[in-house]
Amino acid sequence: MSTLERARCGLKAHPLAADAALAAGVLACMVAGSFAAPQGHHGLTWDVHAPSLLSLLLMLAGAAALVFRRRAPKTVLAVTGTVSLVECVTGDPRAPVAMSAVIALFTVAATTDRSTTWRLGLLTMTVLTAAAMLAGPLPWYAQENLGVLAWTGIGATAGDAVRSRRAVVQAIRDRAERAERTREEEARRRVAEERLRIARDLHDVVAHHIALVNVQAGVAAHVMDKRPDQAKEALAHVREAGRSALDELRATVGLLRQSGDPEAPTEPAPGLSRLEELADTFRSAGLPVSVARADQGTELPAAVDLAAYRIVQEALTNVRKHAGPDAEAEVSVVRVGPNVEVTVLDDGPGKPGAPGAGHASEDGGGHGLLGMRERVTALGGTLTTGPRYGGGFRVHAILPVKTTTAQGEPV
């Protein structure tokens, strides 16, 4: 950092010292200018006469007031305007005391609004110019009188230009900061949504396959001694469920890998094309499942296809866990206009004491129904769950075939 830059930073850090230095410089200029007076027809020449004592006192008062120009700009303008007015009426030859009023008017224009600048600027220009022309020792048409008008106008105009520039710079800075905050908030929101989506996938995968493993392991333990063939078949289902769980967990957790990480998942996410396969896993666990489809081969977006699959998976898992050993389930997928409707029904009475007719409810501590609702809501659909009349439970999801992005463009 150069010496000039260090000095500039020091003055910004101590504004009162900067104003004191400015006041000293203005005082020096006013005193030096008081020795120049017009003589004859050849312009300005140096006069050997020193300024009067009153002029010196007025210059000193005007310069001293400038020390406080940032703290009380209007008061400083009133003080410097008064001493300039006295000098315009009494000075002969006239000392440049009006220089302090010009600096004060510049400060007012730079620190206030434009309407205030117009009012105070016109008042200062009018009073000083009128006093110099009408009550001063010089003729009204003298160049010094017109100089008072010109310099006060320049001070007000320059201060207003500085204020406008500062406002523009501040507006640009505010827009940049606001854009940065918006980008950060959007990034945090997207991260939170992605974490929630991955958490739902992990919950669905683990809850489904662990429930099947638990059921098949129980069957194997029950028939191990009397029917080893059936126990072997149950263990094979346990092994298959464990392999499927690992594959789906690997595909889900693989989303968290960086782009350069090896072994990125290449298998597509499950969808309704694997609905029969999903139903078979529950049938092998002892839950009769019937599947009916009337979606006419509708091509669903990946997000909708995955959500429909997970809803069926979670609903059947709840049936297997909570609806009782004799329950049966029905799954239907129907295309209705711009939507696809997924329904899962069961006729089980539920286990004694289980909430929601044997199903984990959103208020009962379970996360299955809550996860399904979050999935459907994120896609702009609706989810209805509740007990059926006469027994059993119903899960009904309406999913739009065409989803929209955050910008409202169809996918």
Side-chain angles (χ1 to χ4, degrees), residues 360-362 369 372-373 383-388 393-397:
S361 65
E362 296 177 45
L369 297 182
M372 284 191 282
R373 191 173 303 281
L383 178 73
T384 305
T385 62
R388 299 173 62 194
F393 201 81
R394 177 177 181 267
V395 176
H396 180 67

Side-chain angles (χ1 to χ4, degrees), residues 282-302:
F282 284 97
R283 294 184 185 117
S284 63
L287 175 65
V289 179
S290 61
V291 178
R293 299 190 62 174
D295 50 347
Q296 292 83 35
T298 302
E299 291 291 334
L300 298 177

